[in-house]
Amino acid sequence: MAESKKYTPKAKNNQLSEHGQVPPQALELEEAVLGAIMLEKDAIIAVGDLLKADSFYKPAHQKIYKAIMSLSSKEEPIDILTVTEELKRQDDLESCGGPFYVSQLTSRVANAAHIEHHARIIAQKFIQRELIRVSSEIQSSAFDESIDVADLLDKAQQDVFDIAEGNIKKESAHIRPLADEVIDQIIAASKREDGLSGVPSGFTALDRITSGWQKSDLVIIAARPSMGKTAFVLSMTRNMAVEHKAPIAIFSLEMGADQLVKRMISSETELGSEKLRNGRLADHEWEQLHTKIKGLIDAPIYVDDTPGLSIYELRSKCRRLKAKYDIGCVIIDYLQLMTAGSDMRGNREQEVSLISRQLKIIAKELNIPVIALSQLNRGVEQRTGDAKKPMLSDLRESGAIEQDADMVLFIHRPERYGITEDAEGNSLIGIADIIIAKHRNGAVGEIQLRFRNQLARFMDLEGESPDVFGNNHVVAQTFGSSMNEEPVGYDDPNAGLHVGVDFDEAPPF
């Protein structure tokens, strides 16, 4: 079988139209803008963040604007003479039409009164040309059957994303309307009984610190394999969607959608996963299944198990889900299984850095919290005692994850390392430490949750008797990759619950 060709874009500044049409342009406005910049000293300030050299259609205008930006960066005066000298220094003067052409540009406009409006039109024409260019490349490559389709899709999405990211600017806003909006949010939070301003996780102690997951935040939840990362976010998803009716999107890159839903049903109905697999339920268990599942199946939860999902595919899917279902939170399980597209393959650290950066951009663009699970490196295993608690430096593959995240949480279950009691002699069996190691807009700290090993479910500690799920367990002496490996000497007090189900295997890398 012939090796598929890699999709490579054509030259970016191709000025010819394949359909015989003149590309979108505004030559007169380009001349007017360049002339206005050379007439008034502050004109460049109005257009500097709107235009770049490629925004101009005519190559001579591109070179003139480059000379202008070069002068601006050196804080030198910008006029006909200085621009002419800069072009001469760059050996571009003659290719731009000489001193006469440069001087003629100032006659195209009387003053710089409308320069910003003219610049926006030029920028719009450039975006149109870029869309035409990218569309033409995609169409041409789509006819070539030797090009890998997945590679083509990744590159096409990336090119369109780059056009939007590089050219659509957001205006600065005065503080008054921003302050009014914040005050409205504070008032709305004060009227809520729980006092939360974000999407509640359903864990009381955690929500007390975070006030719920906040809009536009990137939250990283990290742990070593078998600590219960997936169980934690599934428990949280259930709380958010069933109890608080918040629409949640889950992107599961590690586990199939049916497996994910089976775990949620097992947790919700308190029926062992093995029983759900083989269907051997007693009459009362069938009734238990149908009764307890009602809230879950009606909950606004949307599951996507696309394998090898790229960051650009994720962004497109999130946009559609936001438009169609107004999702309130996105959960990704997990970050290291995502890809950044064909261009970044081979440099894993840069790829993970790009993914984390783009996740933050998605959170800001859609104005929703994005929660991504992440692996930790093996350094945790080399430490002893309390030193096994994860730290920010343990985040795997890239320091950019820590940098981009608004919050970083670690899940630590001491019993996985054979630690059964704390310094005061309290049992740690069935206890999970949730460590808030970074909180850009709030306090850091540590809370404890109850972990029901049989159901892979996290719960609040408040009001729960530790004897129900903790003190009657005997801790296993060895720990494999299975989070739910049955401990040595374990005596299951809950009839009908299977403990040996492998809920959270260690991922492949």
Side-chain angles (χ1 to χ4, degrees):
M1 183 176 177
E3 185 178 352
S4 61
K5 292 193 295 186
K6 186 174 180 180
Y7 168 48
T8 53
K10 300 176 184 177
K12 190 170 184 179
N13 290 320
N14 182 10
Q15 304 291 341
L16 299 177
S17 169
E18 294 181 3
H19 305 287
Q21 295 176 305
V22 178
Q25 56 183 285
L27 290 181
E28 291 184 356
L29 292 181
E30 290 182 10
E31 294 172 349
V33 166
L34 292 173
I37 293 173
M38 290 187 285
L39 278 177
E40 297 193 16
K41 64 176 183 177
D42 293 330
I44 187 62
I45 298 174
V47 302
D49 63 336
L50 294 174
L51 299 177
K52 49 191 176 184
D54 286 343
S55 302
F56 292 85
Y57 177 74
K58 191 171 180 177
H61 294 167
Q62 294 178 4
K63 294 176 182 178
I64 293 170
Y65 191 74
K66 283 181 181 178
I68 289 171
M69 293 305 295
S70 176
L71 291 170
S72 177
S73 66
K74 294 182 287 189
E75 297 185 357
E76 295 182 5
I78 300 171
D79 56 37
I80 296 173
L81 296 177
T82 57
V83 171
T84 300
E85 286 300 315
E86 183 65 20
L87 286 168
K88 188 183 299 182
R89 190 186 66 79
Q90 296 178 1
D91 200 24
D92 285 330
L93 182 57
E94 294 306 317
S95 62
C96 291
F100 177 76
Y101 184 78
V102 176
S103 63
Q104 285 294 304
L105 291 174
T106 56
S107 65
R108 304 297 185 186
V109 62
N111 55 57
H114 305 294
I115 187 172
E116 187 172 346
H117 178 68
H118 294 163
R120 290 186 185 279
I121 295 175
I122 294 171
Q124 290 169 8
K125 299 295 183 185
F126 171 66
I127 293 172
Q128 289 176 276
R129 293 198 301 273
E130 286 292 277
L131 289 172
I132 292 170
R133 176 184 64 82
V134 169
S135 302
S136 177
E137 291 172 3
I138 295 170
Q139 183 179 14
S140 176
S141 299
F143 278 106
D144 189 344
E145 295 187 4
S146 65
I147 294 178
D148 182 72
V149 173
D151 191 46
L152 175 60
L153 279 172
D154 279 347
K155 187 62 180 174
Q157 291 190 37
Q158 182 176 348
D159 284 348
V160 174
F161 168 75
D162 288 344
I163 292 172
E165 196 67 21
N167 295 282
I168 298 176
K169 310 294 184 182
K170 186 175 181 181
E171 292 293 329
S172 300
H174 188 270
I175 191 172
R176 178 177 290 277
L178 297 175
D180 289 342
E181 183 178 344
V182 170
I183 291 172
D184 289 341
Q185 293 172 1
I186 296 171
I187 293 172
S190 71
K191 292 179 179 178
R192 292 183 55 166
E193 292 183 6
D194 52 20
L196 303 181
S197 57
V199 182
S201 70
F203 301 124
T204 307
L206 181 60
D207 287 336
R208 194 176 295 132
I209 296 176
T210 65
S211 295
W213 306 123
Q214 301 299 310
K215 294 178 179 179
S216 79
D217 273 5
L218 171 59
V219 180
I220 300 295
I221 298 175
R224 286 294 294 156
S226 305
M227 282 293 171
K229 297 185 297 295
T230 302
F232 180 74
V233 294
L234 289 184
S235 299
M236 192 167 61
T237 297
R238 184 264 173 204
N239 295 339
M240 293 189 289
V242 176
E243 299 295 336
H244 300 280
K245 310 302 180 186
I248 308 298
I250 304 177
F251 292 89
S252 177
L253 285 79
E254 183 180 26
M255 193 179 301
D258 56 340
Q259 294 175 295
L260 202 73
V261 173
K262 192 176 293 182
R263 287 186 58 169
M264 296 186 75
I265 292 174
S266 174
S267 177
E268 185 73 8
T269 62
E270 300 188 354
L271 295 170
S273 186
E274 184 176 280
K275 286 197 171 188
L276 297 180
R277 279 202 301 269
N278 60 36
R280 295 176 182 173
L281 276 67
D283 290 342
H284 73 279
E285 290 174 327
W286 280 110
E287 183 178 351
Q288 182 177 338
L289 173 65
H290 290 297
T291 301
K292 291 193 173 184
I293 201 177
K294 290 180 181 178
L296 182 64
I297 62 178
D298 291 333
I301 301 172
Y302 306 95
V303 182
D304 188 309
D305 62 353
T306 304
L309 189 68
S310 77
I311 188 64
Y312 305 105
E313 291 173 320
L314 176 72
R315 182 168 181 163
S316 298
K317 288 173 179 285
C318 288
R319 282 173 169 170
R320 289 196 294 270
L321 287 166
K322 180 66 175 177
K324 190 172 183 179
Y325 302 113
D326 192 25
I327 53 173
C329 182
V330 169
I331 296 173
I332 298 129
D333 183 12
Y334 57 91
L335 188 151
Q336 279 84 3
L337 289 180
M338 294 191 68
T339 66
S342 58
D343 283 357
M344 297 295 293
R345 288 173 190 161
N347 190 326
R348 188 56 185 162
E349 184 174 346
Q350 288 185 16
E351 189 173 15
V352 172
S353 297
L354 176 62
I355 291 168
S356 68
R357 188 161 57 251
Q358 294 303 325
L359 288 178
K360 176 58 182 176
I361 290 173
I362 292 171
K364 287 192 67 177
E365 178 189 339
L366 301 183
N367 199 30
I368 58 174
V370 171
I371 300 172
L373 301 189
S374 177
Q375 287 286 15
L376 295 177
N377 60 42
R378 296 181 182 275
V380 178
E381 311 293 343
Q382 312 304 319
R383 304 195 291 263
T384 59
D386 282 344
K388 282 188 176 292
K389 286 189 175 181
M391 302 178 291
L392 290 171
S393 57
D394 294 322
L395 285 169
R396 183 172 176 175
E397 291 183 314
S398 177
I401 298 175
E402 175 189 346
Q403 176 182 320
D404 295 326
D406 296 283
M407 289 186 68
V408 177
L409 283 73
F410 296 121
I411 302 172
H412 176 64
R413 292 169 51 222
E415 64 177 306
R416 290 297 300 165
Y417 297 113
I419 303 172
T420 61
E421 292 183 348
D422 62 16
E424 286 74 34
N426 299 314
S427 174
L428 294 177
I429 299 176
I431 297 296
D433 295 325
I434 308 299
I435 303 164
I436 303 173
K438 178 183 178 182
H439 192 183
R440 199 187 302 275
N441 301 307
V444 296
E446 186 175 321
I447 67 163
Q448 289 187 327
L449 296 177
R450 179 71 60 188
F451 178 66
R452 291 192 64 177
N453 196 51
Q454 305 97 319
L455 303 175
R457 180 176 177 181
F458 285 79
M459 305 173 67
D460 272 338
L461 278 177
E462 278 85 356
E464 178 187 335
S465 169
D467 291 334
V468 177
F469 304 118
N471 293 342
N472 53 355
H473 287 224
V474 178
V475 179
Q477 301 302 309
T478 59
F479 301 94
S481 63
S482 171
M483 183 175 70
N484 297 312
E485 183 177 3
E486 183 169 332
V488 176
Y490 177 77
D491 182 17
D492 184 8
N494 298 291
L497 294 180
H498 183 75
V499 185
V501 180
D502 194 17
F503 276 114
D504 198 2
E505 290 189 23
F509 62 92

